[in-house]
Amino acid sequence: MIDRLEFILALARERHFGRAAQACNVSQQTLSAGVKQLEDRLGVLLVQRGSRFQGFTPEGERVLEWARRIVGDARAMREEVSSLRRGLSGTLRLAAIPTATPIVAALTTPFRARHPNVRFSVHSTTSGEIGRLIADLEIDAGITYLENEPLGRLTAVPLYRERYRLLTAIDGVFGGRDAVTWDEVASLPLCLLTPDMQNRRIIDRQLLKAGTESAPLLESNSMIVLLTHVRTAKWASIMPAVLADTFRLNDRIRAVPIIDPDLSHSVGLVVPEREPMTPLCAGLIVEARNAAPGIAEMIDLL
């Protein structure tokens, strides 16, 4: 039954029979037969079939929800039994929003010191994608915004509050200022993250409140692309204080605090809302709670 539910999860993730079979390391015939056996067992049609995968039936969508719970619990059981014998081991899969990537090491480094047999896989992606990846059991935890947009069924540990800086040339319009308002920032030619990023949506909402719509001259889903443009001293951008500090701007670029209002948003660790929690997630929660005061203090000093 667990193997067949894994097939359902793979189909939901890949939306393609061949790729789902490949992800499960079985033939497409084996996967199709497994899904058919599950349908026969439950007495309902789960998958809309045609020349290709067309989605799940309403009954299939409900089975998918149960599959996530059952498979998640089965994996948690195996992990806990294994940890009782050998201590924590395996791969901890993390995803972080791009603006939070500088603080990932503040969690993984002490975690590894405490549990040397654990490996890490870290990806950068959007807040919405983090929620989906956790729901589909593709990652164990995420670092994302805790406000503004629904989190779903997740347990959260706040780590710090994200504050914003104008990155601009020192000889630019506001390069000599100690602070700049959102009203003033709205008048500048900007390069910003793409609209699928929650950081961009936060900035867009604030600029709209300041009386203008966001109209960046350049958009990218990469913070590196934005920073390299800012380093030329020909572009300006709005970034979290932690990123401005992490990338050590050259002497021609300044990170100017944006005030009126001094906007901030909570960022933290999220893990699946499950009881009992997997040992890896439980250990990560402990590290997050231990590290949070130091991370928040460091961010507040930037």
Side-chain angles (χ1 to χ4, degrees):
M1 176 67 77
I2 297 295
D3 288 345
R4 294 164 190 166
L5 293 177
E6 291 270 17
F7 293 165
I8 293 294
L9 292 180
L11 265 178
R13 182 171 65 250
E14 302 294 339
R15 315 297 293 181
H16 186 277
F17 284 102
R19 290 195 299 269
Q22 188 175 18
C24 294
N25 294 314
V26 299
S27 68
Q28 185 171 331
Q29 182 179 5
T30 298
L31 182 135
S32 295
V35 172
K36 182 66 168 60
Q37 289 166 0
L38 186 59
E39 290 178 325
D40 291 343
R41 181 79 175 270
L42 297 175
V44 294
L45 189 67
L46 302 178
V47 177
Q48 296 174 355
R49 291 175 175 83
S51 58
R52 63 185 66 187
F53 178 78
Q54 296 178 349
F56 292 99
T57 63
E59 295 85 356
E61 291 289 350
R62 291 300 299 153
V63 170
L64 177 60
E65 288 299 313
W66 279 103
R68 286 168 175 155
R69 298 184 203 177
I70 294 168
V71 172
D73 285 345
R75 291 181 185 177
M77 179 186 67
R78 288 194 293 266
E79 186 183 309
E80 183 168 349
V81 171
S82 176
S83 69
L84 290 173
R85 289 168 44 201
R86 299 192 298 267
L88 285 188
S89 61
T91 300
L92 181 56
R93 302 164 300 166
L94 282 169
I97 53 174
T99 57
T101 50
I103 61 94
V104 172
L107 299 182
T108 54
T109 302
F111 193 101
R112 182 179 179 276
R114 197 183 302 269
H115 307 289
N117 292 325
V118 174
R119 296 174 178 270
F120 301 91
S121 171
V122 182
H123 298 276
S124 175
T125 189
T126 67
S127 56
E129 186 69 358
I130 286 173
R132 185 196 67 78
L133 291 171
I134 289 178
D136 287 344
L137 308 180
E138 294 183 55
I139 60 173
D140 302 298
I143 300 174
T144 186
Y145 294 104
L146 304 184
E147 303 167 334
N148 311 311
E149 298 176 5
L151 284 177
R153 296 174 56 187
L154 299 173
T155 297
V157 178
L159 295 173
Y160 67 95
R161 296 199 67 83
E162 182 179 86
R163 288 182 168 82
Y164 305 94
R165 301 288 184 264
L166 170 67
L167 271 60
T168 184
I170 197 166
D171 56 356
V173 179
F174 302 119
R177 297 275 291 275
D178 293 327
V180 63
T181 69
W182 286 94
D183 240 2
E184 292 170 322
V185 168
S187 68
L188 296 174
L190 298 168
C191 56
L192 299 173
L193 285 171
T194 48
D196 60 325
M197 299 288 181
Q198 191 171 164
N199 171 268
R200 169 65 183 279
R201 296 195 291 275
I202 289 170
I203 290 171
D204 283 354
R205 283 195 298 269
Q206 196 55 43
L207 291 177
L208 194 59
K209 288 179 182 178
T212 185
E213 289 190 15
S214 172
L217 298 180
L218 181 146
E219 296 177 330
S220 175
N221 64 355
S222 166
M223 301 303 303
I224 297 296
V225 169
L226 300 185
L227 283 161
T228 53
H229 278 77
V230 170
R231 280 179 178 271
T232 68
K234 304 295 184 182
W235 304 75
S237 189
I238 301 169
M239 294 188 186
V242 64
L243 272 171
D245 179 73
T246 299
F247 286 96
R248 302 296 177 191
L249 304 171
N250 60 42
D251 57 6
R252 294 189 299 162
I253 303 297
R254 286 200 63 215
V256 183
I258 307 176
I259 59 171
D260 193 24
D262 181 10
L263 196 64
S264 71
H265 290 273
S266 182
V267 175
L269 176 75
V270 293
V271 300
E273 189 178 76
R274 177 176 291 117
E275 188 60 42
M277 192 174 289
T278 68
L280 284 173
C281 284
L284 190 60
I285 287 281
V286 170
E287 296 301 341
R289 287 173 175 159
N290 289 339
I295 294 173
E297 182 179 4
M298 181 267 291
I299 300 285
D300 286 343
L301 292 175
L302 296 178

